[in-house]
Amino acid sequence: METSIIKSLFKWFCDCEILEADSELNVDYLGEDAEQYSIETVPCKAVVKSYIDGSAKCQYLFIFASRECYSQENGINMANLEFYERLEDWIAEQNINRKLPKLPAGCTAQSIKVLSSGYVMNNDTKTARYQIQCRLEYTKNLEVKNG
């Protein structure tokens, strides 16, 4: 069990066979060179619904981004978008099969959903940043401490 949600997501994506094995996976950092990945947090209201027992239905928004080769050639750019289609399918498959991240104590993952399909966020003549936005939905139980 991990100590934070971001560590849980990092470990979960490390097991994704869609990612290139020799590519770097980072958190909140995407370098200038192609073939890098990053998981980035997105500001949001974490608690979606609070319950009388102190538990809550929560969300964690994040972006999965990559730096890819980019060109005026359609083939390269299509391959980048095809990668994101495969990644979306992988996320959906994990969700259906309940192979979700192992969250910190007191938190239980309910689902991960892709909120936006893969798209170019910014580019220059040689590389581009592609990304998708996702939402992790989870329940959180408060631990009652006696004393």
Side-chain angles (χ1 to χ4, degrees), residues 6 21 24 28 31 40 49 55 76 93 101 111 134 139:
I6 193 65
E24 225 177 291
D28 277 349
E40 302 169 356
K49 185 171 184 170
S55 65
I76 291 172
E93 182 180 301
S111 67
C134 302
T139 55

Side-chain angles (χ1 to χ4, degrees), residues 55-67:
S55 65
K57 178 180 178 181
C58 300
Q59 67 178 349
Y60 190 92
L61 297 182
F62 65 96
I63 289 171
F64 184 94
S66 65
R67 174 81 51 204

Side-chain angles (χ1 to χ4, degrees), residues 6 12-13 18 20 27 29 33-34 45 54 66 69-70 74 76 86 101 106 109 125-126 145-146:
I6 193 65
W12 189 69
F13 275 109
I18 304 299
E20 294 291 328
V27 173
Y29 173 79
D33 297 331
K45 182 179 176 184
S66 65
C69 291
Y70 183 78
N74 287 333
I76 291 172
R86 290 191 312 276
T125 57
K126 298 196 188 268
K145 296 180 181 178
N146 296 331

Side-chain angles (χ1 to χ4, degrees), residues 89-100 111-112:
D89 290 344
W90 181 84
I91 291 170
E93 182 180 301
Q94 301 309 300
N95 200 43
I96 289 167
N97 293 324
R98 308 293 301 148
K99 294 180 180 176
L100 300 171
S111 67
I112 291 187

